[in-house]
Amino acid sequence: MFLVLFLNSVISSFKDEINDSGGLVIAADSKPIAAYGNAPLGPIHSYNTSLNGKYGFKVFWLAVIYPFYFPFYFSFDKASAHDNPMLLNSFKYLKLLDVKTSNIFFTADKGFDSLDTLYNLISAGLIPFIRTKKSHLKDHFYL
């Protein structure tokens, strides 16, 4: 909550730059991390045979990436957690952003591709740019 409130003060000081640049860009991402007890061992990748399949946690974050960089939301879950529920839990903080521009773009990878996510992003006043999963190409229409 503190980071979101602090971000609102940063946004108010950059309001001219945000209006001149045409808007604000927010990005979401997550990364599974293998862990042994409380000690992190490293990121879990499908090609990393020594860590793939190990237990750990997933860190999820939201960050303003343009016209400045500022990460403002973090959450943690088990490593096998899906990205969409983690994003949906962050909407109460996204709605607290005090941005006086009509263009707030939201970008994320295909792990966030779902109609529920798109509906929530659009209803929160964000313009989504999310990579489409191949299985969803026929079902979704994107801007």
Side-chain angles (χ1 to χ4, degrees):
M1 180 64 99
F2 172 77
L3 288 174
V4 174
L5 296 175
F6 183 72
L7 177 59
N8 282 335
S9 67
V10 171
I11 287 172
S12 67
S13 17
F14 278 91
K15 64 183 172 189
D16 293 335
E17 288 84 356
I18 291 170
N19 290 332
D20 291 344
S21 66
L24 195 69
V25 180
I26 297 174
D29 205 358
S30 66
K31 178 59 75 180
I33 308 291
Y36 180 76
N38 291 332
L41 299 175
I44 300 171
H45 299 287
S46 58
Y47 55 84
N48 188 341
T49 56
S50 64
L51 294 180
N52 191 22
K54 298 249 194 255
Y55 294 105
F57 59 94
K58 181 179 273 191
V59 61
F60 167 81
W61 62 91
L62 293 172
V64 172
I65 59 170
Y66 182 81
F68 53 87
Y69 181 77
F70 188 87
F72 64 92
Y73 177 81
F74 297 92
S75 69
F76 300 90
D77 207 338
K78 60 185 178 200
S80 61
H82 291 286
D83 291 336
N84 278 324
M86 296 177 87
L87 175 62
L88 294 175
N89 290 336
S90 71
F91 271 100
K92 61 184 172 185
Y93 297 100
L94 276 172
K95 292 179 181 179
L96 292 175
L97 291 179
D98 186 26
V99 182
K100 305 283 192 269
T101 182
S102 59
N103 296 327
I104 305 172
F105 302 99
F106 183 89
T107 183
D109 61 21
K110 62 185 175 182
F112 298 94
D113 176 26
S114 79
L115 289 175
D116 191 31
T117 300
L118 288 175
Y119 172 77
N120 283 301
L121 288 170
I122 292 169
S123 62
L126 303 170
I127 303 167
F129 286 90
I130 299 175
R131 183 175 173 196
T132 309
K133 293 179 185 172
K134 289 181 183 177
S135 61
H136 292 174
L137 282 176
K138 297 176 185 171
D139 302 334
H140 294 207
F141 174 76
Y142 291 92
L143 299 173

